[in-house]
Amino acid sequence: GAVVSQHPSWVICKSGTSVKIECRSLDFQATTMFWYRQFPKQSLMLMATSNEGSKATYEQGVEKDKFLINHASLTLSTLTVTSAHPEDSSFYICSAIHLSHEQFFGPGTRLTVL
Amino acid sequence: QKEVEQNSGPLSVPEGAIASLNCTYSDRGSQSFFWYRQYSGKSPELIMFIYSNGDKEDGRFTAQLNKASQYVSLLIRDSQPSDSATYLCALRHDGNQFYFGTGTSLTVIP
């Protein structure tokens, strides 16, 4: 299958700082990428849809000023958690849509805010 | 009404048995269907996709789609302890809209 990478895998930061997470499709171009969040023992929660060259579409209840998404190229989308707080601690997962319409997930980024 | 419904389980099967995972969906306009496996603490991994009625086999896995009854299932033959995970059913609508079920937890008992 197609490969999607995320960086970093783990990040620990202090409350009030910002954290940037990168999502890359390594062997294909993706006009659409998704960002999910998953709390322990809970389901995936879609946060936003990231489309190359346009503004992201956020799901209801997700603050767009807090979770900044930039899809600068066909292989890279970034999620910046601004002014992170302990309640933002979670597992953030991106995915990319292949031309075949299959959705491939990155390995995830575990964020811990102290 | 949720787009995709899955029994959360847990489902337990003995090693070597067939595990059957089921998923129902509400929108007849759904175009393609996916099964993902998610190990604890890891991200989902695509196992199979199916978009035509009938069965699709890949190794020990068989996906079954019945559009008239609006269900999709995944059969795992010769279940192994390493198959213990949460299995997510997903469907795709036009415009790359994806909907996920909440997942079924499977435990294969050695």
Side-chain angles (χ1 to χ4, degrees):
Chain A
V3 179
V4 177
S5 70
Q6 270 184 255
H7 177 79
S9 301
W10 292 80
V11 58
I12 301 173
C13 68
K14 292 182 180 179
S15 186
T17 60
S18 294
V19 174
K20 180 186 280 189
I21 303 170
E22 292 187 349
C23 177
R24 294 181 185 272
S25 55
L26 297 186
D27 51 359
F28 66 101
Q29 293 182 329
T31 54
T32 301
M33 291 183 173
F34 296 110
W35 286 96
Y36 295 85
R37 181 165 56 180
Q38 188 173 37
F39 294 104
K41 299 192 185 300
Q42 293 190 21
S43 307
L44 285 175
M45 189 193 83
L46 179 65
M47 299 176 67
T49 303
S50 170
N51 293 299
E52 187 268 339
S54 63
K55 290 184 178 180
T57 303
Y58 291 81
E59 295 299 303
Q60 194 171 11
V62 178
E63 300 174 58
K64 61 181 180 181
D65 294 330
K66 180 170 182 63
F67 299 100
L68 301 178
I69 292 172
N70 184 6
H71 196 149
S73 75
L74 287 171
T75 59
L76 173 64
S77 176
T78 60
L79 167 69
T80 301
V81 183
T82 63
S83 186
H85 290 282
E87 58 266 29
D88 298 322
S89 299
S90 188
F91 190 40
Y92 292 86
I93 311 171
C94 75
S95 69
I97 306 303
H98 191 267
L99 282 177
S100 61
H101 299 300
E102 296 163 69
Q103 180 175 178
F104 294 97
F105 286 87
T109 296
R110 196 161 301 282
L111 170 64
T112 301
V113 184
L114 302 176
Chain B
Q1 184 181 5
K2 292 183 180 178
E3 293 274 349
V4 182
E5 297 268 7
Q6 284 184 265
N7 186 331
S8 62
L11 173 66
S12 295
V13 300
E15 184 175 354
I18 296 175
S20 178
L21 303 158
N22 299 309
C23 174
T24 59
Y25 61 94
S26 58
D27 190 338
R28 291 186 178 274
S30 303
Q31 295 184 323
S32 44
F33 305 84
F34 305 84
W35 282 100
Y36 290 86
R37 175 175 62 196
Q38 186 176 22
Y39 292 113
S40 180
K42 302 293 186 182
S43 66
E45 170 194 11
L46 180 64
I47 300 174
M48 295 187 69
F49 69 92
I50 185 168
Y51 50 83
S52 299
N53 271 326
D55 295 0
K56 180 181 179 182
E57 189 174 316
D58 184 0
R60 296 187 295 113
F61 299 98
T62 299
Q64 300 174 318
L65 174 60
N66 184 322
K67 290 188 177 181
S69 300
Q70 295 176 248
Y71 82 78
V72 58
S73 62
L74 179 71
L75 301 178
I76 307 174
R77 288 182 300 282
D78 188 24
S79 296
Q80 301 296 309
S82 58
D83 294 326
S84 298
T86 296
Y87 289 81
L88 302 170
C89 170
L91 57 84
R92 187 184 75 85
H93 284 226
D94 267 348
N96 281 335
Q97 294 177 54
F98 285 80
Y99 296 90
F100 282 83
T102 53
T104 299
S105 175
L106 171 68
T107 300
V108 180
I109 303 167

